[in-house]
Amino acid sequence: MPLKKIQMKFINNKIALSFFLLLFSCVIARAQEIIKDSAVVTTNKIQSNQKQKIDGVIATVGDYIILDSDIDKSYLEISSQGGSIKDITRCQMLGKLLEDKLYAHQAIQDSIKVSDSEVKGMMDDRVNYMTEQLGSLDKVVKYYKKNSEEEFRTYFFDILKEQKLTSEMQKKIIDAVEITPEEVRNFFKTIPATELPVFGAEMEVAQIVIKPKVSEAEKQKVIDKLNSFKKEIQEGSSFATKAVLYSQDPGSRSNGGYYKMNRKTPFVKEFKDVAFGLAEGEISAPFETDFGYHIIYVEKIKGQEIELRHILLTPAVSEESLKEAKEKIALIRKRIEDKEITFAEAARTLSDEKETRANGGALINPKTQDTRFELTKMDPSLYGQVSNLKEGEITAPFMEDEQGKKKFKLITVTNRINEHTADYAKDYIKIKDLALKEKQIKAIGKWFDEKIKETYIKIIGEYRDCAFTNNWLKK
């Protein structure tokens, strides 16, 4: 059952709608143009003795302008991503464009940097996705009504750079918001008993993982291949091209192995240790993580952030090793069913997955960081394994292939929680998340109120009659 709507009168409707429109930011495309405050933008002159006409410009935010055609392009982009535009008015769309321009303008004022290589990586991902959807790059270019691939890429580069500035500015505002237990308690108390949210059925699950052993010969084969890549790159070959052709990391392969990271970025420790130990322009020796073997090339170091590229190769596993692992996990299941050992004890002493081993195999929900998984929001592959299990039952052994790495698993349901009305003690994590979101909404609203007052903003023509959620007209 979906979460019951909370009729929270303490949430300002203006701010809530502004936050709702913020969700469009990942799909709305805009034309970006930089102008000086004193400049007059024109596409035609009426007469030499008449004033110049600003043709198509409907708004200015700081150094950015918005054209009437940008609204049409935004509708086109949402439609291209499969979104519905029937309930979005032109005034709402302009309001969203004004927000994005203000975010991007303020990002520049705050010296938020977005590198060209980062934007290029984003562009490669988006272009690959659109090419898959439409069938060819030529069709993508035609869809956006551009005359050539070069013209399209130039146009799209500016769009993505502004989108990245916008998202980084949003992130800066939201990341600064923290919430205390007292604020969570007060938030919960203000919700009327009849309007408390209802949380759907949940379960807690645990797993045991057995990984097939990789021979030393296969490991050395991968290390030698990475060393040969390193030598060729040092002699002039392109690291990015090698990553596209050979890397087995699906998250970065399409954009040449590119990642931007800092010390807090959630990468495995071994990867971060090597990355932050390299100088700019240096290529690492091959090193191992749970995902396989890597080499890293550091492109740029900017304070606490680094931009890098990497290549991942995974050693092959023999059929004999697969058979041994399958037999081992089947034996573990039998010992648990025969009551020789509990599931938690088997996970702690026999599982090959160090992330869950110490907790008796208990899985952590990556979205909430607690042990509960709501059935309607569970990963489909996990749901398929556990949805019909009773508490304490164990799946049959099954093999999972993740990024080319095969492993065998057993999963059990350790606890089932029925659908229930929110309880402060039992559902603290979820309530905290709701309270934090409300505080973030208010922080965004306050930010808009302050920055609108400080920034040159002008809206032209019929759009001045729009009922905006933010005070763009400074009335």
Side-chain angles (χ1 to χ4, degrees):
M1 177 176 177
L3 189 67
K4 189 197 301 180
K5 291 183 180 178
I6 306 174
Q7 304 299 324
M8 294 179 290
K9 58 188 176 183
F10 42 77
I11 296 184
N12 184 293
N13 287 335
K14 174 179 82 71
I15 300 172
L17 181 56
S18 173
F19 192 74
F20 166 75
L21 290 174
L22 182 150
L23 298 177
F24 294 146
S25 63
C26 64
V27 296
I28 292 180
R30 286 90 53 195
Q32 172 179 301
E33 192 168 348
I34 306 295
I35 64 171
K36 300 295 184 182
D37 285 348
S38 59
V40 177
V41 179
T42 181
T43 57
N44 63 334
K45 294 181 182 180
I46 302 173
Q47 294 287 341
S48 60
N49 61 344
Q50 292 180 343
K51 292 182 179 179
Q52 289 182 328
K53 179 184 177 183
I54 302 178
D55 185 20
V57 176
I58 59 173
T60 305
V61 179
D63 289 333
Y64 291 92
I65 65 169
I66 300 173
L67 306 176
D68 199 21
S69 60
D70 289 339
I71 294 179
D72 299 314
K73 291 171 184 174
S74 297
Y75 281 125
L76 180 69
E77 186 69 11
I78 292 175
S79 297
S80 75
Q81 300 290 326
S84 172
I85 60 175
K86 66 177 182 178
D87 296 324
I88 306 173
T89 67
R90 292 186 74 83
C91 284
Q92 286 177 320
M93 193 66 79
L94 174 58
K96 181 64 184 69
L97 292 173
L98 289 165
E99 290 180 7
D100 289 342
K101 300 298 184 186
L102 184 57
Y103 278 130
H105 171 77
Q106 193 59 44
I108 294 172
Q109 307 309 305
D110 290 359
S111 300
I112 292 175
K113 303 295 183 184
V114 175
S115 70
D116 287 353
S117 59
E118 187 175 4
V119 177
K120 186 178 181 301
M122 293 168 58
M123 188 188 322
D124 289 342
D125 286 343
R126 288 286 295 275
V127 169
N128 288 340
Y129 170 78
M130 289 186 290
T131 301
E132 288 177 7
Q133 298 299 307
L134 297 179
S136 71
L137 182 55
D138 287 342
K139 289 182 179 179
V140 175
V141 173
K142 185 177 180 181
Y143 182 85
Y144 280 91
K145 301 178 181 178
K146 300 302 175 185
N147 296 319
S148 65
E149 180 184 343
E150 182 181 0
E151 182 184 350
F152 166 74
R153 285 186 177 275
T154 300
Y155 157 81
F156 209 50
F157 184 92
D158 290 340
I159 289 172
L160 292 176
K161 187 164 188 176
E162 184 184 326
Q163 285 185 356
K164 186 61 176 176
L165 284 169
T166 295
S167 65
E168 290 295 318
M169 191 68 244
Q170 291 171 350
K171 185 175 183 296
K172 181 178 178 180
I173 299 166
I174 291 173
D175 285 353
V177 179
E178 296 179 345
I179 196 160
T180 66
E182 184 63 24
E183 287 175 309
V184 178
R185 188 179 298 108
N186 291 336
F187 168 85
F188 186 73
K189 287 179 180 178
T190 59
I191 306 175
T194 57
E195 296 175 6
L196 286 170
V198 174
F199 296 122
E202 299 172 303
M203 62 172 56
E204 294 177 313
V205 297
Q207 68 182 21
I208 295 170
V209 178
I210 298 298
K211 300 176 182 179
K213 304 301 180 186
V214 179
S215 70
E216 292 302 319
E218 288 297 333
K219 290 181 182 180
Q220 191 59 49
K221 189 184 296 184
V222 165
I223 291 170
D224 291 344
K225 193 168 187 178
L226 288 172
N227 276 324
S228 71
F229 289 164
K230 179 178 178 179
K231 185 174 184 294
E232 290 168 12
I233 292 163
Q234 289 172 332
E235 292 173 352
S237 293
S238 166
F239 195 106
T241 300
K242 294 285 187 188
V244 169
L245 293 174
Y246 301 107
S247 181
Q248 292 174 281
D249 175 19
S252 69
R253 180 175 55 222
S254 63
N255 63 354
Y258 177 86
Y259 282 119
K260 180 180 180 180
M261 60 184 289
N262 57 42
R263 290 284 185 182
K264 295 182 180 180
T265 306
F267 281 60
V268 293
K269 181 179 183 299
E270 298 89 343
F271 191 95
K272 288 204 286 191
D273 286 348
V274 172
F276 285 98
L278 295 172
E280 191 171 295
E282 187 177 0
I283 303 175
S284 74
F287 66 97
E288 185 179 12
T289 71
D290 286 342
F291 298 96
Y293 286 84
H294 313 248
I295 54 172
I296 291 175
Y297 165 59
V298 173
E299 284 192 341
K300 290 183 182 178
I301 299 176
K302 297 180 178 178
Q304 300 301 310
E305 284 191 334
I306 60 174
E307 295 179 27
L308 59 82
R309 296 185 186 274
H310 89 120
I311 297 172
L312 167 68
L313 295 181
T314 304
V317 176
S318 68
E319 288 299 321
E320 184 180 350
S321 293
L322 285 171
K323 182 181 177 182
E324 289 176 357
K326 186 177 181 179
E327 291 173 350
K328 180 178 180 180
I329 203 162
L331 180 59
I332 292 171
R333 187 177 190 274
K334 186 176 186 305
R335 290 184 63 193
I336 295 170
E337 289 190 325
D338 291 344
K339 309 298 183 184
E340 291 182 24
I341 191 171
T342 67
F343 193 100
E345 289 170 343
R348 280 191 286 267
T349 58
L350 301 171
S351 179
D352 291 331
E353 187 173 66
K354 62 183 180 181
E355 293 85 0
T356 59
R357 193 164 52 209
N359 295 323
L363 289 180
I364 301 298
N365 188 330
K367 295 180 180 178
T368 62
Q369 297 304 309
D370 67 2
T371 57
R372 293 185 183 184
F373 291 82
E374 192 168 345
L375 293 185
T376 58
K377 299 178 182 178
M378 185 177 283
D379 179 86
S381 61
L382 179 59
Y383 179 83
Q385 295 291 341
V386 302
S387 59
N388 294 322
L389 288 183
K390 296 177 182 178
E391 191 171 318
E393 280 190 325
I394 307 171
T395 63
F398 64 95
M399 187 178 75
E400 194 173 84
D401 191 335
E402 194 174 275
Q403 298 181 17
K405 298 197 73 174
K406 295 180 174 65
K407 53 190 173 185
F408 291 91
K409 285 186 175 183
L410 295 174
I411 298 180
T412 187
V413 174
T414 57
N415 187 24
R416 277 187 175 269
I417 303 106
N418 294 326
E419 178 182 287
H420 62 285
T421 301
D423 178 281
Y424 182 77
K426 295 179 181 178
D427 301 303
Y428 177 81
I429 298 294
K430 291 185 178 64
I431 294 164
K432 179 183 177 182
D433 186 54
L434 291 173
L436 179 60
K437 281 185 171 63
E438 189 232 0
K439 191 172 180 181
Q440 288 171 340
I441 288 170
K442 290 183 176 180
I444 288 172
K446 182 180 178 183
W447 184 89
F448 272 116
D449 289 342
E450 292 174 353
K451 298 306 176 186
I452 286 173
K453 292 176 183 177
E454 299 172 3
T455 307
Y456 173 75
I457 297 169
K458 185 176 182 180
I459 298 172
I460 299 169
E462 63 187 28
Y463 289 103
R464 292 184 62 82
D465 297 328
C466 288
F468 294 114
T469 57
N470 290 304
N471 186 27
W472 298 110
L473 298 173
K474 304 185 180 182
K475 293 181 178 178

